[in-house]
Amino acid sequence: MQDILFYVFAGLVLICGFLVVANPFSRSPVTSAMFLVLTIISLAGLFVLLHAFFLAAVQILVYAGAVMVLFLFVIMLLDLKVEDRRRLKVFSIVTGLGASGAILFMFMRHLLHAPLVGQSATLSEGATIPLGHLLFENYLLPFEVVSVLLLVAMVGVVLLSKKELK
Amino acid sequence: MNVGLAHYLTVSIILFCLGLLGVMTRRNLMVIYMSLELMLNAANLALVAFSRFNGKLDGQIFVFFVITVAAAEVAVGLALIVALYRRRQTVQVDDLTTMKL
């Protein structure tokens, strides 16, 4: 059952991810954003299969909820509709396919020969309570630093979106 | 065949390559940004898979931080794109060639 679900979610992730990047029917950024939402939700499904329940919830809340709404807001704010059909440059397609194909090839070659011994170890359970203990005991300093980072980002965004910079 | 670490890593690598392809081929800044998110998500999937099959939760904590930083990064990046659009009236990278030699 879990294997079938893995293949379903993995297929969804890859198909929707491909449609984000290269949708043959529409070049509008809104469809890309919508397929990105689907990709993120299917990734949350994969997280559940990996027993990372808390992260699956965070993924949906933060990514599909907050980040994608921000994306859609900006897309609507910019009102992009004129530039639908531009010619893709052949050079960039060739280099892009070459680069990502090379990375894929190298990773897969090493993955096929790598001794993945993880199966024998005990599997981790990503419930909220052990995750919270780890976060607030071992990783307290990074947690606080991240809160400062969020503050900096907030101040930066407010400053950037002011009409007149003095 | 049982689904193991290798399967998750394969999905993650293919997703990363899709994101890279998007960054290199698309010309719209918004879509480039979404492809970046795709790459970040691929890395997250690999981290969660490693965390699961090594029996340690540290990888998931790392993913937690990655998600937080990604949210901050998206906010700043989109503000930059909006500021750019106000000044230049375009989000196509072809038209933004001021720094080209």
Side-chain angles (χ1 to χ4, degrees), chain B residues 1 16 24 27-28 30-31 39 47 50-51 54 57 60-62 69 72 75 81 85 87 89 94 96 99:
Chain B
M1 187 181 168
F16 185 87
M24 291 189 74
R27 286 286 159 261
N28 189 323
M30 297 298 298
V31 180
M39 290 162 83
L47 281 170
F50 279 129
S51 153
N54 275 324
L57 278 178
Q60 296 196 15
I61 299 283
F62 203 74
V69 173
I81 290 178
Y85 186 78
R87 182 154 298 192
Q89 306 298 318
D94 301 352
L96 305 168
M99 290 177 78

Side-chain angles (χ1 to χ4, degrees), chain B residues 24-42:
Chain B
M24 291 189 74
T25 56
R26 294 302 293 262
R27 286 286 159 261
N28 189 323
L29 264 181
M30 297 298 298
V31 180
I32 289 177
Y33 223 67
M34 287 179 215
S35 305
L36 274 178
E37 293 303 309
L38 222 54
M39 290 162 83
L40 276 175
N41 272 304

Side-chain angles (χ1 to χ4, degrees), chain A residues 58-153:
Chain A
V58 166
Q59 173 94 352
I60 287 186
L61 286 180
V62 174
Y63 260 116
V67 170
M68 291 320 295
V69 168
L70 209 60
F71 263 107
L72 287 174
F73 256 120
V74 171
I75 289 172
M76 285 168 203
L77 207 66
L78 300 187
D79 191 23
L80 310 166
K81 51 177 184 274
V82 267
E83 37 72 40
D84 242 7
R85 285 277 160 197
R86 284 215 184 186
R87 258 182 344 111
L88 283 171
K89 291 213 179 82
V90 178
F91 177 71
S92 72
I93 292 182
V94 170
T95 48
L97 278 178
S100 48
I103 288 183
L104 191 66
F105 172 72
M106 285 188 335
F107 266 119
M108 291 310 287
R109 212 185 59 180
H110 283 283
L111 195 61
L112 288 179
H113 299 133
L116 296 173
V117 285
Q119 302 288 35
S120 57
T122 52
L123 303 177
S124 72
E125 298 285 334
T128 316
I129 294 173
L131 213 58
H133 274 297
L134 199 60
L135 185 61
F136 292 115
E137 280 162 15
N138 296 6
Y139 290 91
L140 188 58
L141 181 66
F143 182 77
E144 300 293 342
V145 172
V146 157
S147 70
V148 175
L149 175 81
L150 283 176
L151 179 70
V152 169

Side-chain angles (χ1 to χ4, degrees), chain B residues 72-88:
Chain B
E73 170 234 338
V74 163
V76 175
L78 288 180
L80 279 174
I81 290 178
V82 170
L84 190 72
Y85 186 78
R86 266 201 209 128
R87 182 154 298 192
R88 305 290 298 270

